Amino acid sequence: MGELRAYAALAGAQIRSVVSYRTSFLVEVLSNVGSTVFDVLTVLVLFRATDTLGGFTFAEALLMTGITAAGFAVADFTIGSIDRLKTHVRAGTLDAVLVRPLPALPQLLLMDLPLRKALRVVFGFVVLGVAISLNTIDWTPARLVLITVAPLSCAVFMSAIFVISASLAFWWVDSGELGSAFTYGGRDFASYPITVYGPVFRNLFAYTLGFAFVAYQPALALLGRPDPLGLPAWAGFASPLVALAAATVAATVWRVGLRHYRSTGS
Amino acid sequence: MVFGYLRCYVLLAVAASAPGGRPAGYDPQQLATYVWLGQGLLSVVLLWGWADLAERIRTGDVAADLLRPVAPLTAYLAADLGRAGHAMLTRFVVPVVVGVLCFPLRIPTRWQTVPLFLASVLLAVIVSFGCRYLVNTTAYWLHDARGPIMLWVLGAGVLGGLYFPLRMLPEWLAVTLWVATPMPSLLQTPLDVAAERDGLALQAGLVGVQACWAVGLLLLARLVQRRAERRLVVQGG
């Protein structure tokens, strides 16, 4: 109980601090929704110039964008503020977190409560809903399970990427751009059919890092389309397993990184 | 860098399946040039957040800036031009080299393109600085400029032409953006000049539009700064 009260105190302090500059906060909330709106807008604009992209129609591509948008928004809302870890490591303020008798990760998350990102989660699921209604999907029990599991797997996978990217700060203090290449770069990668990418780049992101299983493969399974790149039909249902594997790696990296942390010494 | 590959592949895929193979009038080489020079210019023009001034206003340090013999606007502009020059030598080169190695880029066919491109980049830096300065000065009124800065980062990315060339929008919309907002002057104009998307006359005209925005924004920033100084209450001890 005492622990819960401590977390509640941290969260309450955060809420009071973010809403104290009211106008700025409102603009921030709107801007956050805007970033997903513009991701979807980009897909719309690209399809103005062409009927198919990488062999997929607009409705099919939007399904991939929708799964990614919904899953990423959830991940960013719950765990995305971990990317501030690099600031804490550089300034040495992580020490204050570590001396408290609570686990470090939840504390860090509550230290920057992303209220401003809440609306984006809603919008992400709206896009997914629109994408589902635009496609004619032959609903089977397996597909019904998949459509609920796929955005959650995407969220878990993206959360793992967030934690791994942030953990880079334990080894390289200034890791901002490298980390965001994988978080935001990964989101953008998964928003499009992976058939559009060149082979080397695709193999790295889609199969070595696993981003193909975030949205592309589940979308193929939902649509009942065979994979032009040759993976079997059940690959779409593997997305929870890939997410679980990513989460395990992330947990390990986080623990090793935290043990590796040696403050700033100042 | 990752984003360069992403955008380049996506736009090339659009070109591959678009009727005629030239979406919005760009051929594949021009699209690749557009993307990779855009990645290089990002850090030169500094489309991302810049909160130095807002932070100094919030903490009250800005009072020290006002005591200096040089007007804050001039001092910050000088610093920003220096930063941009340095970025041009360091941050611009790497993505362009990567682009040249991995994709077929367009080599300029007219000698005028190079000087026009450099002038366009300089004007883009000034326009970007003017916008960023104005966004930061909202902190004089709001005390915290995080929201406005986020809005700026978002708007500058999309309307500046980073995510997709603005020419892909319906023509009336693209023209309106160009004339009514400074956004296309941030990235789209220098990139169109470099990719030789238009004839020489139109290119020069677009750079002229940039010049008007640069002057207009600096005048506006000076006006806002004066207004703000009159009502500034420095907080704290």
Side-chain angles (χ1 to χ4, degrees):
Chain A
M1 272 325 274
E3 265 189 33
L4 275 184
R5 213 173 302 137
Y7 285 132
L10 269 172
Q14 274 311 311
I15 293 172
R16 280 196 299 282
S17 98
V18 289
V19 296
S20 59
Y21 297 115
R22 214 163 286 138
T23 319
S24 188
F25 175 70
L26 278 177
V27 179
E28 231 179 334
V29 169
L30 290 179
S31 309
N32 256 294
V33 182
S35 75
T36 311
V37 173
F38 283 132
D39 283 345
V40 175
L41 186 76
T42 304
V43 179
L44 269 168
V45 169
L46 294 180
F47 273 96
R48 258 178 53 82
T50 174
D51 293 334
T52 60
L53 188 59
F56 290 85
T57 64
F58 170 68
E60 292 167 333
L62 194 67
L63 189 56
M64 297 165 200
T65 313
I67 297 175
T68 311
F72 186 85
V74 171
D76 197 20
F77 179 64
T78 50
I79 216 162
S81 48
I82 193 69
D83 65 4
R84 283 169 53 98
L85 178 71
K86 57 179 185 287
T87 323
H88 292 301
V89 168
R90 197 170 49 210
T93 44
L94 187 62
D95 296 8
V97 171
L98 292 177
V99 295
R100 292 185 201 139
L102 294 171
L105 192 58
Q107 280 192 69
L108 282 171
L109 298 182
L110 286 175
M111 278 168 72
D112 183 33
L113 201 69
L115 281 181
R116 59 185 187 277
K117 295 173 181 168
L119 216 52
R120 199 157 72 169
V121 176
V122 178
F123 184 76
F125 279 95
V126 169
V127 175
L128 181 57
V130 171
I132 292 170
S133 69
L134 285 181
N135 284 290
T136 41
I137 298 173
D138 177 19
W139 291 109
T140 61
R143 285 198 182 122
L144 280 173
V145 173
L146 185 61
I147 193 59
T148 38
V149 169
L152 294 180
S153 309
C154 173
V156 171
F157 187 91
M158 290 295 187
S159 303
I161 300 291
F162 264 115
V163 171
I164 295 171
S165 301
S167 302
L168 292 177
F170 289 123
W171 287 276
W172 298 289
V173 173
D174 197 13
S175 59
E177 288 185 28
L178 187 65
S180 61
F182 290 106
T183 49
Y184 298 98
R187 177 198 59 186
D188 288 359
F189 180 91
S191 297
Y192 294 93
I194 66 169
T195 47
V196 304
Y197 306 111
V200 177
F201 185 70
R202 176 170 61 216
N203 287 338
L204 174 69
F205 263 82
Y207 302 117
T208 313
L209 299 176
F211 280 101
F213 300 93
V214 167
Y216 173 73
Q217 296 291 354
L220 286 182
L222 284 170
L223 295 165
R225 272 188 67 154
D227 184 4
L229 299 166
L231 278 197
W234 52 261
F237 295 91
S239 76
L241 292 179
V242 176
L244 212 62
T248 315
V249 173
T252 315
V253 171
W254 173 257
R255 256 180 238 132
V256 173
L258 206 55
R259 224 168 282 152
H260 193 271
Y261 173 68
R262 297 257 184 287
S263 195
T264 51
S266 58
Chain B
M1 212 74 88
V2 170
F3 297 98
Y5 281 105
L6 277 167
R7 289 188 188 114
C8 204
Y9 280 126
V10 170
L11 284 177
L12 289 180
V14 171
S17 50
R22 290 175 63 96
Y26 298 89
D27 67 26
Q29 282 188 359
Q30 287 173 319
L31 283 175
T33 307
Y34 186 96
V35 169
W36 285 102
L37 263 63
Q39 290 299 309
L41 281 186
L42 255 185
S43 42
V44 177
V45 176
L46 200 68
L47 277 194
W48 302 140
W50 177 77
D52 293 10
L53 179 62
E55 198 55 26
R56 288 180 74 81
I57 294 169
R58 197 176 64 81
T59 55
D61 288 343
V62 73
D65 294 346
L66 298 177
L67 292 175
R68 295 201 181 108
V70 184
L73 184 65
T74 321
Y76 278 107
L77 177 62
D80 202 57
L81 287 176
R83 180 204 56 76
H86 179 257
M88 196 71 187
L89 296 177
T90 53
R91 312 286 291 275
F92 177 70
V93 177
V94 181
V96 173
V97 170
V98 172
V100 169
L101 292 178
C102 297
F103 295 91
L105 296 203
R106 183 183 172 97
I107 311 295
T109 55
R110 296 189 292 258
W111 68 267
Q112 294 96 333
T113 297
V114 177
L116 204 56
F117 172 68
L118 293 177
S120 182
V121 170
L122 176 67
L123 287 170
V125 172
I126 297 176
V127 170
S128 158
F129 169 79
C131 295
R132 281 182 277 128
Y133 196 89
L134 284 171
V135 170
N136 271 255
T137 51
T138 57
Y140 281 118
W141 285 270
L142 303 178
H143 303 297
D144 172 78
R146 279 214 300 187
I149 288 173
M150 259 204 81
L151 191 65
W152 149 256
V153 168
L154 188 67
V158 181
L159 303 179
L162 176 66
Y163 293 168
F164 51 83
L166 296 177
R167 293 286 176 74
M168 288 191 161
L169 293 169
E171 203 183 335
W172 60 267
L173 187 55
V175 172
T176 312
L177 282 177
W178 236 291
V179 180
T181 77
M183 297 304 191
S185 298
L186 292 170
L187 205 59
Q188 179 79 32
T189 302
L191 293 178
D192 274 353
V193 169
E196 298 184 329
R197 162 68 172 70
D198 307 294
L200 193 57
L202 185 51
Q203 284 192 342
L206 289 176
V207 176
V209 172
Q210 267 189 307
C212 294
W213 275 112
V215 174
L217 283 167
L218 287 185
L219 289 176
L220 183 63
R222 198 177 63 171
L223 182 76
V224 171
Q225 175 71 32
R226 288 216 180 127
R227 274 284 173 95
E229 280 168 20
R230 224 171 292 152
R231 70 177 300 285
L232 172 70
V233 179
V234 174
Q235 303 184 354

